[in-house]
């Protein structure tokens, strides 16, 4: 009997220490969603159960190794034990109750995690090798970053363009596969402002590990500001000058031609259109459409005074339309 009491006390002691140890090393990242509360609650009970089962095995084993060690010179057989019905019933029924209790907790947590808010904001998510795209139908915005307002439920309607991916933000706890040919849903209510990362949790190809995009949870005001900014960019991209600006950025023009008068390798575009330009040979020319077009297609045709000759700019090949948009953009810089 004394042995049972000692082992019982040691089991409880070690279970407590194991639980405290596991709890303090911080196995979980920050909890940043309402859905993480029921999940972390269940996880905590599992850690308690794990700590107890670990002690229940380790303590009697270790205790037996030391206390019931064979004495020197003792060659007798150990005592033969022929089963114990009461013990067998106990170790069948008690775990059964524990498993049923965890099944209940699991069902309860799942219900909480899936609880749908009718006012949830819809965001369409497209997964492809190897990035995520987020479309906000409510605002007509498309982004490679997932921006979420604080404390409003969002429902992600997710589709894959190619293979199976899996949407996973550890701080939100919930994970959901994205499967080609069907739409899967993911509900989340962010409750902690900050920057996180969505990572792909399904091996989907060579760059699977790099399939990470930013997730930003911000206050409603900051979120609204971001939406307006994105809407302005989207609207600008519809105009010729907006497209021209995108062309100029994409083709690296802005690396040498500043938009604000800053001296760079090439003449600034600020105030350029319509101005009188002095060339290297001393003549002057008006920077009109024809001059700009010629300078883009054949940079050596006319070198502006003070810049290297021959020109360090490579000749570009653009369509007439593309040149028109770039010139439209240059016209706005004054
Ligand atoms: Cu997408 Cu892994």
């Amino acid at each position: 009997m004394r042995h049972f009491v000692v082992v019982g006390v040691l089991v409880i002691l070690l279970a407590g220490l194991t639980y405290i140890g596991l709890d303090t090393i911080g196995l979980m990242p920050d909890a940043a969603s309402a859905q993480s509360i029921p999940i972390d609650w269940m996880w905590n009970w599992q850690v308690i159960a794990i700590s107890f089962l670990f002690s229940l095995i380790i303590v009697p084993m270790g205790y037996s190794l030391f206390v019931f060690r064979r004495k020197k010179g003792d060659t007798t057989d150990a005592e033969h034990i022929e089963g114990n019905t009461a013990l067998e019933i106990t170790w069948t029924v008690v775990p059964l109750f524990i498993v049923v209790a965890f099944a209940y907790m699991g069902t309860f947590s799942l219900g909480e995690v899936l609880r749908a808010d009718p006012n949830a904001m819809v965001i369409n998510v497209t997964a492809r090798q190897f990035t995520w795209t987020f479309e906000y139908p409510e605002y007509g915005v498309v982004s490679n970053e997932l921006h979420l307002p604080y404390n409003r439920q969002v429902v992600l309607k997710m589709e894959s363009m190619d293979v199976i991916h899996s949407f996973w933000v550890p701080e939100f706890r919930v994970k959901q596969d994205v499967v080609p040919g069907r739409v899967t849903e993911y509900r989340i209510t962010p409750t902690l402002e900050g920057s996180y990362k969505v990572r792909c949790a399904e091996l989907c190809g060579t760059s699977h590990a790099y399939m990470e995009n930013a997730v930003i949870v911000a206050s409603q005001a900051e979120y609204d500001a971001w939406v307006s900014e994105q809407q302005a960019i989207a609207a600008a991209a519809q105009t010729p000058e907006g497209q021209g600006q995108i062309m100029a950025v994409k083709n690296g023009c802005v690396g040498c031609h500043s938009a604000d008068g800053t001296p760079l390798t090439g003449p600034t575009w600020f105030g350029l259109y319509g101005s009188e330009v002095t060339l290297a040979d001393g003549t002057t020319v008006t920077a009109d459409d024809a001059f700009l077009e010629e300078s883009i297609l054949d940079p050596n045709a006319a070198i502006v005074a003070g810049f290297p000759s021959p020109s360090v700019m490579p000749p570009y090949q653009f369509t007439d339309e593309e040149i028109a948009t770039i010139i439209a953009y240059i016209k706005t810089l004054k």
Side-chain angles (χ1 to χ4, degrees):
M1 193 62 203
R2 190 173 59 89
H3 293 305
F4 281 109
V5 174
V6 174
V7 166
V9 170
L10 287 175
V11 165
I12 291 168
L13 212 64
L14 181 65
L17 287 174
T18 308
Y19 171 71
I20 291 168
L22 288 174
D23 196 46
T24 46
I25 57 174
L27 295 170
M28 289 288 210
D30 285 345
S33 73
Q35 287 73 13
S36 63
I37 294 169
I39 291 174
D40 284 2
W41 169 76
M42 191 170 73
W43 167 253
N44 190 50
W45 277 107
Q46 293 199 18
V47 173
I48 291 172
I50 288 165
S51 305
F52 176 69
L53 290 174
F54 172 77
S55 307
L56 197 60
I57 292 163
I58 294 298
V59 170
M61 192 175 73
Y63 189 85
S64 304
L65 281 175
F66 287 104
V67 177
F68 301 119
R69 208 171 184 78
R70 184 154 69 179
K71 307 279 178 304
K72 227 184 173 146
D74 179 4
T75 52
T76 57
D77 266 356
E79 190 187 336
H80 287 274
I81 298 167
E82 277 297 321
N84 184 326
T85 312
L87 189 60
E88 283 182 28
I89 289 173
T90 310
W91 77 35
T92 306
V93 172
V94 172
L96 182 70
F97 275 105
I98 295 176
V99 168
V100 169
F102 270 104
Y104 171 77
M105 288 156 78
T107 314
F108 172 78
S109 292
L110 187 63
E112 288 295 304
V113 166
L114 296 179
R115 188 189 295 277
D117 181 342
N119 294 319
M121 171 167 69
V122 175
I123 298 176
N124 296 321
V125 179
T126 307
R128 61 168 66 81
Q129 291 166 319
F130 296 93
T131 192
W132 304 89
T133 309
F134 306 99
E135 190 218 337
Y136 303 70
E138 211 169 297
Y139 307 107
V141 163
V142 178
S143 173
N144 282 321
E145 295 178 341
L146 179 58
H147 285 249
L148 301 172
Y150 170 78
N151 217 9
R152 176 174 175 193
Q153 190 178 84
V154 288
V155 51
L156 307 185
K157 296 195 182 283
M158 308 195 290
E159 271 184 290
S160 170
M161 291 286 104
D162 35 52
V163 299
I164 302 176
H165 303 274
S166 188
F167 185 97
W168 184 43
V169 180
E171 289 82 359
F172 292 164
R173 299 291 189 270
V174 191
K175 181 160 71 180
Q176 175 65 54
D177 275 4
V178 187
V179 184
R182 78 165 83 145
V183 177
T184 48
E185 281 192 0
Y186 179 102
R187 281 181 190 277
I188 213 74
T189 312
T191 51
L192 187 66
E193 289 176 26
S195 294
Y196 311 102
K197 259 182 190 167
V198 50
R199 46 202 83 198
C200 182
E202 182 76 46
L203 184 60
C204 57
T206 47
S207 294
H208 154 74
Y210 302 106
M211 198 168 156
E212 293 185 335
N213 290 51
V215 176
I216 291 121
V217 176
S219 66
Q220 188 67 45
E222 284 174 287
Y223 176 76
D224 290 342
W226 176 80
V227 168
S228 322
E229 191 185 300
Q230 294 300 307
Q231 284 172 329
I233 292 171
Q238 302 302 313
T239 63
E241 54 270 28
Q243 285 167 9
Q245 182 175 12
I246 291 167
M247 288 289 296
V249 170
K250 256 197 340 212
N251 289 285
C253 312
V254 295
C256 296
H257 302 282
S258 74
D260 57 2
T262 310
L264 296 175
T265 313
T268 182
W269 284 355
F270 181 77
L272 174 62
Y273 190 82
S275 69
E276 289 295 313
V277 178
T278 307
L279 300 181
D281 61 10
T283 58
T284 57
V285 60
T286 305
D288 54 9
D289 289 51
F291 170 76
L292 291 174
E293 177 168 350
E294 182 192 57
S295 297
I296 293 169
L297 296 178
D298 182 8
N300 270 313
I303 303 286
V304 177
F307 289 94
S309 177
S311 172
V312 293
M313 173 174 150
Y316 277 86
Q317 298 204 316
F318 287 122
T319 64
D320 290 349
E321 245 174 67
E322 288 168 339
I323 288 179
T325 63
I326 294 172
I327 293 174
Y329 170 57
I330 294 173
K331 279 184 194 172
T332 65
L333 302 173
K334 51 185 179 229

